[in-house]
Amino acid sequence: MTRNISKYMGYVKLFAAGMLFAGAVSSCSDIDEQDRFEYIKPADAARKVLIEDFTGQKCVNCPKATDEIHHLQETYGEDNVIAVGIHSGPLGYKGTKKNPGLMTDLGNVYYYNWGLDHQPVGLVNRGKPSDYPYWQEQVAQLITQKAPLSLAIHNAYDAASRTVTITIDAEGTTGTTKGKLQVWLIEDGITAMQAMPDGSPNKEYVHNHVLRASANGEWGTDFTIRESEKKTQTFTYQLDEKWVPENVSVVAFVYTDSSVAQVEKAKVIQSIVTPAE
């Protein structure tokens, strides 16, 4: 009799344990799918700085602004301070058959849009226009901050058609960023006339990071990205016959009304540029 009671009590305990397990499983299934996992915020993205240098081949002080850009890139790294030389305005030069000019209609659109009245002058991350002696302070302040998104540029160049396919990968890292994505093409290593500080013309001057064109319009395309969201956008552009593909780069940046959220640069003939962590 005692043996039967013990056996019966064992069944009772086993049944009770089973009920507890079933209850635990049932309670877990009642938890919302999104509440089962802990949210992990994306890694912060290091902020890079864009300098839009409004310059001109007839501008005697513009080489000084170029020297300041070189100094800033040596200090913080060429990948972290990304410059674009926008030839434009009254000191821009359209050129002749013998002497190439670097001024573009696109550059003039930007120059007059910002209401600029002298050269050299620049926009540092789309802040207020400022002269080059103030760029050091602005860059130093901006480059210590974190960006709300990261960018990566993947370029695929077809030599036969001189066409580059530009793929921009973006990931939101903090909050929501709403603005525009701008994709520019710039060129280095252009030998062309430049007025020098002493007033003399230097026909062997080498111009770098010269704005050539936009791959997505004068003001870019609408762009919104939320934290943890990933986006990919693709553009194509056929290079001008006068451009040297090996010297051409893509500059992509997301900007709002008064700032640049993030900027990236990659050569046209290059595999991948990964975002800064």
Side-chain angles (χ1 to χ4, degrees), residues 1-212:
M1 183 71 177
T2 302
R3 182 180 298 174
N4 290 337
I5 293 174
S6 298
K7 186 175 181 180
Y8 174 77
M9 292 303 295
Y11 288 146
V12 170
K13 290 179 180 178
L14 183 61
F15 176 79
M19 292 298 291
L20 287 172
F21 176 77
V25 171
S26 176
S27 63
C28 286
S29 64
D30 293 336
I31 299 176
D32 188 89
E33 187 71 25
Q34 294 182 348
D35 295 333
R36 295 187 186 184
F37 304 99
E38 181 181 356
Y39 172 69
I40 299 177
K41 186 180 181 299
D44 288 332
R47 183 182 293 278
K48 300 187 177 186
V49 178
L50 172 67
I51 298 179
E52 296 169 82
D53 173 26
F54 289 89
T55 187
Q57 289 170 265
K58 297 187 291 182
C59 169
V60 296
N61 287 318
C62 285
K64 295 180 181 180
T66 299
D67 290 343
E68 178 61 19
I69 288 172
H70 290 163
H71 170 71
L72 290 169
Q73 290 179 331
E74 287 177 353
T75 301
Y76 299 104
E78 192 172 344
D79 293 336
N80 298 318
V81 177
I82 297 172
V84 177
I86 304 176
H87 287 254
S88 55
L91 298 180
Y93 181 58
K94 291 183 177 180
T96 64
K97 291 183 179 180
K98 292 184 178 180
N99 298 309
L102 303 178
M103 183 168 67
T104 63
D105 292 338
L106 180 64
N108 281 330
V109 167
Y110 299 138
Y111 182 88
Y112 292 108
N113 174 77
W114 303 120
L116 306 178
D117 60 4
H118 67 282
Q119 292 162 283
V121 64
L123 302 178
V124 180
N125 265 16
R126 286 285 164 93
K128 292 182 178 180
S130 59
D131 296 332
Y132 68 87
Y134 300 99
W135 295 351
Q136 167 72 45
E137 180 181 356
Q138 292 173 283
V139 171
Q141 182 180 11
L142 289 165
I143 210 160
T144 61
Q145 301 172 4
K146 298 299 181 181
L149 75 156
S150 62
L151 294 174
I153 304 173
H154 308 252
N155 293 324
Y157 180 66
D158 181 73
S161 65
R162 293 182 62 85
T163 299
V164 57
T165 300
I166 305 162
T167 302
I168 310 294
D169 289 333
E171 180 179 8
T173 56
T174 302
T176 298
T177 301
K178 185 175 183 180
K180 288 184 177 291
L181 170 66
Q182 183 79 72
V183 182
W184 283 342
L185 290 100
I186 64 173
E187 186 176 3
D188 293 326
I190 305 171
T191 301
M193 186 279 296
Q194 175 62 51
M196 301 304 291
D198 62 2
S200 65
N202 181 355
K203 294 184 178 181
E204 301 302 318
Y205 190 88
V206 178
H207 298 263
N208 291 313
H209 49 257
V210 175
L211 177 64
R212 286 302 205 179

